[in-house]
């Protein structure tokens, strides 16, 4: 007659298993956090190289923003295929200075009924791959917003050029 007995695991075996699971969990969390921060840093680096970082804006670029005009602004609202309301602002950027522009950064401020800023957005236009805007010329632009604060008073937002990127000299 054969009898089988199950031998319960010792206390030492159970604590080793728990310790191993905790170590694997901790290493996994550290790995995920490291991967996230590396991804975030690389995407910020790519974005700043593509649009010109705000830190790269010098006094010449800041002074030149007064020569950049924003004209013929129109606002439209439509529903996208996901049934979300999208607000689109279109207009023209004019280069009133004497240098060609590779890029322009706009700051768009939406106000509420108390004339306070309800939302502020910064958008870069015309990155380096496109043709530059020569002096005295203008270029159409369009920016879309999937979400605008419900406090917005539905009036035209204030739009101004806050940074420029000069085109390389030929």
């Amino acid at each position: 007659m054969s009898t089988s007995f199950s031998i319960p695991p010792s206390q030492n075996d159970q604590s080793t298993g728990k310790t191993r699971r905790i170590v694997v969990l901790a290493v996994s969390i550290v790995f995920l956090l490291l991967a996230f921060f590396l991804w975030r840093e690389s995407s910020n680096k790519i974005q700043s190289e593509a649009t010109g970082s705000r830190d790269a804006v010098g006094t010449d670029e800041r002074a030149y923003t007064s020569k950049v005009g924003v004209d013929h602004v129109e606002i439209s609202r439509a529903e996208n295929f996901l049934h979300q309301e999208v607000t689109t602002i279109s207009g023209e950027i004019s280069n009133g200075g004497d240098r060609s522009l590779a890029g322009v950064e706009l700051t768009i401020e939406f106000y509420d009924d108390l004339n306070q800023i309800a939302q502020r957005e910064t958008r870069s236009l015309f990155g380096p791959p496109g043709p530059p805007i020569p002096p005295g010329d203008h270029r159409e632009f369009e920016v879309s917003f999937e979400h605008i604060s419900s406090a917005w008073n539905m009036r035209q937002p204030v739009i101004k050029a806050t940074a420029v990127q000069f085109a390389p000299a030929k």
Side-chain angles (χ1 to χ4, degrees):
M1 162 172 179
S2 156
T3 310
S4 65
F5 295 99
S6 78
I7 301 172
S10 69
Q11 186 69 17
N12 195 16
D13 290 342
Q14 287 178 349
S15 65
T16 303
K18 283 184 181 179
T19 304
R20 192 173 294 145
R21 280 189 293 242
I22 291 172
V23 168
V24 168
L25 181 62
V27 168
S28 299
I29 290 172
V30 168
F31 176 75
L32 287 173
L33 287 173
L34 181 63
F36 172 76
F37 287 117
L38 288 174
W39 169 78
R40 178 118 173 145
E41 185 64 29
S42 69
S43 67
N44 287 345
K45 191 176 191 180
I46 290 169
Q47 182 180 7
S48 66
E49 287 173 358
T51 60
S53 172
R54 186 173 260 297
D55 296 337
V57 176
T59 38
D60 289 345
E61 288 87 351
R62 281 197 186 97
Y64 199 90
T65 59
S66 65
K67 299 175 183 179
V68 177
V70 180
D71 305 306
H72 309 293
V73 175
E74 293 182 13
I75 300 173
S76 62
R77 297 183 89 163
E79 190 174 283
N80 66 11
F81 64 93
L82 296 174
H83 303 292
Q84 298 169 328
E85 192 167 85
V86 176
T87 303
T88 303
I89 297 176
S90 58
E92 277 185 358
I93 295 290
S94 57
N95 182 358
D98 57 355
R99 296 188 64 181
S100 292
L101 300 177
V104 176
E105 179 184 89
L106 293 181
T107 297
I108 303 161
E109 296 175 339
F110 299 90
Y111 286 83
D112 63 11
D113 290 330
L114 299 173
N115 209 25
Q116 298 173 337
I117 297 173
Q119 183 173 338
R120 178 181 289 138
E121 296 281 337
T122 302
R123 300 290 173 96
S124 294
L125 307 175
F126 322 120
I133 306 171
D137 205 358
H138 57 84
R139 175 102 18 98
E140 292 181 359
F141 74 90
E142 184 176 280
V143 291
S144 297
F145 302 91
E146 291 181 8
H147 172 75
I148 296 180
S149 171
S150 60
W152 178 36
N153 62 12
M154 303 301 279
R155 294 191 185 116
Q156 182 171 325
V158 173
I159 305 170
K160 56 189 167 198
T162 49
V164 296
Q165 182 180 14
F166 294 127
K170 293 182 180 182

